């Protein structure tokens, strides 16, 4: 179904996020006859990986590549299925009501309450924090942001652009720049040149027999056309007064400065866990991916009854694995609400499980090879950790020396993680910083406990919620 | 600085940026319009007054906050441009309209 104007008061299933996992989940659930609504923040479906696939002005297929256009099929299936699709909709709170949930949703500045029996959270990935000196200067953006500009607006970097970092997405975006005839001044490759091959050898065969080998080789070849590559970059600093003017880096025993007007940073993606965390889903520290990952079973079921997680939000595995995961999660949801029994779920899900396993093969190798070096994850001195509240690494360490034991207590010392982004760009950094200072591990230290509302909302939106007699009575104490 | 690929088409939508007339490409976000017009920065922070510009463009960093049609703290990357829109750089924290709270 196309985008809905009005929300129904209740559905059997709500899916959060219209990326590959969310779209596949909504379609698969609707095919099983489950009354489904798909909520998404963006104006058009696709998530970030297929961002703008219905609206992009770049219609030459080779420019964004076949893997991008695969998303068109997912969108077509979504718009052709019986599920309701609600774009520009932010689900900002979830309350347990009996065996189900009540969702608070804002659309165009007005809040609504929607009851559901089951929830599939498919909130995808975000770019890992890249806390280097000067990363808050205007003109410093993520590589993912530059890719969004390319996909949605046909905007590409001009002269004076430096790209820095590591990871498959960085190579993909460079290849897309090259296809668009764009070159950058320099690519500063921060991929560590340590002996991680020793750690990765177990995963080599998996990678060599995966779909990623051929794609990766072609990608790296095309990416090289986008600019001069400096390998083994050991430190990075963005310098400027009110915007970026230069980037300083160290490589091969030399410190070099490059003038630039734009610096694009990237060092991999991590699960966007805020939503699952706020619901109370158990999470674990993944040492190889160096991030927190929600705990799920083989069907995506989280530790919270009635909540299934799908896609990169449940652990980074890439778009095609996420799509299969969405189909798996939909069967789990259909089973949880009694539409099918576990035996039917297992039989119907075998194909999706096999598909997911195929796209998971080789991922561990990529995780090991592109694990960011510690100096890019754990900053020192006056480098900003929390962009919103402008808290530095030094301040975080001082709070630990004053006796602060973890991220949640630190909030009351420093307000770190309490700005509008709600820890999305400092959570991992803070956990690793505190762990290092206390001689502990991020697994022991833990992550922020996040709370609803998941995104800032206005008092006006809150006030627009439908009032019950009980809620009015609680505030104005009308005589009965 | 960013530049536009020719196949994206020309900007045709009239609006204002800090009171100055500008053209935006229909369908673009406010943040993309600012970047395309050469504005790397869009606000100063409430804490230290340092300059900031769009960082993630996917709705999670909140660094692209601007005032749109008189409403402060709007996420520029999440809002599509409209004809006649008034986009204003945001200085420091959002002022509280005391009169409006009475």
């Amino acid at each position: 179904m196309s985008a809905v104007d009005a929300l129904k008061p209740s559905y059997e299933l709500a899916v959060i996020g219209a990326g590959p996992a969310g779209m596949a989940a909504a379609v698969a659930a609707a095919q099983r006859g489950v009354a489904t609504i798909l909520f998404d923040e963006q104006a058009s479906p696709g998530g970030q990986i297929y961002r703008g696939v219905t609206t992009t002005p770049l219609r030459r297929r080779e420019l964004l590549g076949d893997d991008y256009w695969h998303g068109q099929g997912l969108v077509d299936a979504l718009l052709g299925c019986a599920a309701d699709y609600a774009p520009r909709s932010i689900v900002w709170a979830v309350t347990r009501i009996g065996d189900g949930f009540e969702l608070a949703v804002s659309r165009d500045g007005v809040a609504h309450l929607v009851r559901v029996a089951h929830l599939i959270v498919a909130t995808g990935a975000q770019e890992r924090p890249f806390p280097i000196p000067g990363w808050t200067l205007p003109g410093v953006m993520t590589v993912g942001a530059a890719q969004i500009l390319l996909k949605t607006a046909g905007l590409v970097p001009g002269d004076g652009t430096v790209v820095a970092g590591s990871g498959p997405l960085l190579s993909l975006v460079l290849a897309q720049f090259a296809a668009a005839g764009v070159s950058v001044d320099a690519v500063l490759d921060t991929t560590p040149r340590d002996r991680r091959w020793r750690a990765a050898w177990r995963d080599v065969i998996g990678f060599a027999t995966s779909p990623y080998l051929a794609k990766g080789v072609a990608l790296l070849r095309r990416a090289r056309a986008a600019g001069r590559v400096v390998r083994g970059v050991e430190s990075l600093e963005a310098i400027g007064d009110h915007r970026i003017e230069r980037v300083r880096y160290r490589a091969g025993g030399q410190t070099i400065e490059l003038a630039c007007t734009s610096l694009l940073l990237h060092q991999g993606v991590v699960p966007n866990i805020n939503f699952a965390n706020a619901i109370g889903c158990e999470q674990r520290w993944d040492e190889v991916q160096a991030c927190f990952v929600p705990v799920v079973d083989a069907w995506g079921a989280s530790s919270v009854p009635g909540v299934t997680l799908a896609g990169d939000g449940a652990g980074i595995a890439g778009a095609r694995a996420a799509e299969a995961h969405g189909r798996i999660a939909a069967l789990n949801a259909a089973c949880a609400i009694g539409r099918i029994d576990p035996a039917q779920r297992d039989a119907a899900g075998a194909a999706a499980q096999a598909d997911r396993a195929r796209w998971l093969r080789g991922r561990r190798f990529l995780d090991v090879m592109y694990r960011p070096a510690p100096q890019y994850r754990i900053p020192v001195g006056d480098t900003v950790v929390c962009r919103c509240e402008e808290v530095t690494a030094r301040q975080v360490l001082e709070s630990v020396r004053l006796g602060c034991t973890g991220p949640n207590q630190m909030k009351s010392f420093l307000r770190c993680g309490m700005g509008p982004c709600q820890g999305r760009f400092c959570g991992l950094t803070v956990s690793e910083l505190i762990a290092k200072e206390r001689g502990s591990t991020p697994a022991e230290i833990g992550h922020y406990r996040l709370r609803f509302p998941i995104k800032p909302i206005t008092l006006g939106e809150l006030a627009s919620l439908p009032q019950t007699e009980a809620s009015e009575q609680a505030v104005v104490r009308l005589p009965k | 600085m960013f530049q536009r690929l020719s196949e994206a088409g020309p900007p045709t939508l009239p609006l204002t940026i800090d009171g100055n007339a500008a053209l935006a490409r229909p369908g673009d976000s406010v943040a993309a319009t600012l970047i395309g017009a050469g504005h790397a920065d869009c606000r100063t922070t409430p804490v230290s007054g340092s300059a900031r510009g769009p960082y993630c463009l996917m709705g999670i960093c909140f660094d692209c906050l601007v005032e749109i049609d008189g409403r402060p703290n709007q996420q520029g990357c999440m809002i599509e441009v409209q004809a006649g829109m008034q986009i204003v750089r945001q200085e420091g924290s959002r002022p509280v309209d005391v009169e409006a709270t009475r």
Side-chain angles (χ1 to χ4, degrees):
Chain A
M1 176 188 268
S2 52
V4 289
D5 290 328
L7 301 173
K8 293 175 195 145
S10 71
Y11 294 86
E12 287 177 290
L13 171 68
V15 181
I16 319 280
M23 290 193 288
V27 170
Q31 283 169 348
R32 297 263 154 192
V34 177
T36 302
I37 174 107
L38 172 59
F39 292 110
D40 190 58
E41 289 181 339
Q42 298 293 339
S44 62
Q48 299 306 328
I49 190 84
Y50 305 125
R51 179 79 184 262
V53 72
T54 56
T55 59
T56 180
L58 309 182
R59 306 315 294 183
R60 274 189 297 142
R61 201 176 166 89
E62 69 277 13
L63 221 154
L64 293 171
D66 287 342
D67 287 346
Y68 174 76
W69 289 105
H70 174 81
Q72 181 71 55
L74 281 171
V75 170
D76 291 345
L78 172 70
L79 300 182
C81 84
D84 277 3
Y85 160 57
R88 300 185 320 281
S89 302
I90 295 178
V91 180
W92 48 264
V94 176
T95 311
R96 165 81 67 185
I97 306 270
D99 289 338
F101 303 96
E102 184 176 68
L103 312 183
V105 188
S106 275
R107 306 187 77 198
D108 303 322
V110 179
H112 309 264
L113 296 175
V114 177
R115 293 274 182 104
V116 299
H118 197 95
L119 203 52
I120 292 180
V121 178
T123 48
Q126 66 160 85
E127 287 176 276
R128 177 192 296 279
F130 205 143
I132 57 166
W135 72 309
T136 56
L137 285 169
V140 181
M141 292 197 314
T142 70
V143 166
Q147 194 193 32
I148 289 167
L149 289 173
L150 174 70
K151 289 171 178 172
T152 61
L155 285 167
V156 291
D159 292 342
T161 299
V162 173
V163 177
S166 175
L169 178 66
L170 187 137
S171 301
L172 170 62
V173 176
L174 287 174
Q176 289 172 333
F177 286 167
V182 173
S183 61
V184 297
D185 288 14
V187 178
L188 308 179
D189 186 346
T190 62
T191 311
R193 303 174 101 184
D194 54 18
R195 305 196 174 175
R196 56 184 55 200
W197 278 100
R198 285 188 187 173
W201 69 269
R202 276 184 224 94
D203 305 303
V204 163
I205 292 177
F207 180 71
T209 55
S210 77
Y212 299 110
L213 176 63
K215 281 177 191 289
V217 169
L219 203 60
L220 289 172
R221 181 172 46 74
R222 292 204 307 275
R224 275 200 289 273
R228 176 177 67 93
V229 180
V230 180
R231 299 201 191 284
V233 173
E234 293 158 5
S235 75
L236 265 180
E237 195 175 339
I239 301 167
D241 252 346
H242 299 293
R243 57 167 300 152
I244 184 156
E245 293 160 12
R246 311 188 297 288
V247 55
R248 180 187 294 155
Y249 67 93
R250 188 166 174 81
Q254 283 187 304
T255 301
I256 296 165
E257 283 193 16
L258 284 177
C260 65
T261 56
S262 191
L263 173 63
L264 306 177
L265 296 174
H266 177 81
Q267 55 173 351
V269 296
V270 294
N272 188 350
I273 58 168
N274 279 45
F275 204 94
N277 179 305
I279 295 176
C281 296
E282 190 188 329
Q283 56 194 26
R284 64 178 175 83
W285 172 256
D286 184 316
E287 181 61 22
V288 175
Q289 293 186 344
C291 62
F292 287 96
V293 179
V295 175
V296 291
D297 72 7
W299 295 92
S302 75
S303 63
V304 176
V307 178
T308 304
L309 309 182
D312 272 3
I316 301 303
R320 299 299 292 270
E323 183 183 331
H325 209 200
R327 304 205 304 273
I328 292 165
L331 289 168
N332 191 58
C335 182
I337 61 177
R339 189 58 47 89
I340 55 176
D341 63 35
Q344 289 171 307
R345 178 193 70 177
D346 294 359
Q353 294 280 15
D355 194 25
R356 177 167 164 79
R358 173 170 171 257
W359 290 104
L360 281 174
R361 200 187 304 147
R363 293 299 305 192
R364 212 60 182 169
F365 177 79
L366 293 174
D367 293 343
V368 172
M369 293 308 287
Y370 288 112
R371 187 174 196 267
Q375 70 268 30
Y376 298 120
R377 307 198 315 268
I378 307 172
V380 295
D382 292 324
T383 301
V384 168
V385 169
C386 168
R387 299 172 62 93
C388 300
E389 297 294 329
E390 297 182 69
V391 178
T392 65
R394 187 193 311 282
Q395 287 173 285
V396 172
L397 296 183
E398 274 168 12
S399 78
V400 174
R401 284 170 204 143
L402 286 170
C404 174
T405 56
N408 294 316
Q409 194 184 21
M410 194 209 53
K411 287 184 194 170
S412 51
F413 280 64
L414 297 171
R415 279 198 59 78
C416 189
M418 296 177 72
C421 103
Q422 288 288 293
R424 287 170 174 88
F425 276 107
C426 69
L428 291 172
T429 314
V430 163
S431 293
E432 287 211 89
L433 257 178
I434 295 178
K436 190 182 176 200
E437 182 66 12
R438 291 180 59 85
S440 181
T441 62
E444 285 291 319
I445 295 297
H447 189 267
Y448 293 132
R449 172 75 168 90
L450 301 163
R451 298 186 191 281
F452 294 119
I454 201 83
K455 290 222 167 157
I457 50 167
T458 64
L459 284 172
E461 281 170 289
L462 266 182
S464 71
L465 280 172
Q467 303 300 319
T468 63
E469 197 181 327
S471 65
E472 284 179 10
Q473 187 69 27
V475 176
V476 295
R477 295 176 191 270
L478 298 168
K480 283 198 174 171
Chain B
M1 301 288 272
F2 281 74
Q3 54 200 26
R4 189 87 62 174
L5 293 175
S6 60
E7 54 209 288
T12 53
L13 209 64
L15 42 67
T16 65
I17 300 174
D18 288 336
N20 301 313
L23 291 174
R25 195 188 75 91
D28 276 3
S29 70
V30 168
T33 298
L34 290 171
I35 290 167
H39 300 278
D41 65 319
C42 65
R43 68 178 184 117
T44 58
T45 63
V47 179
S48 73
S50 62
R52 287 288 172 88
Y55 181 72
C56 80
L57 289 184
M58 57 178 273
I60 62 170
C61 79
F62 292 84
D63 262 326
C64 64
L65 299 178
V66 285
E67 184 184 306
I68 300 175
D69 294 337
R71 295 188 62 196
N73 277 349
Q74 303 297 297
Q75 279 183 285
C77 75
M78 299 291 284
I79 295 172
E80 189 179 320
V81 287
Q82 307 291 337
M85 200 176 241
Q86 297 176 337
I87 304 166
V88 178
R89 184 186 312 259
Q90 186 164 309
E91 302 293 335
S93 58
R94 177 185 70 91
V96 174
D97 183 351
V98 177
E99 287 303 314
T101 63
R102 286 191 178 147

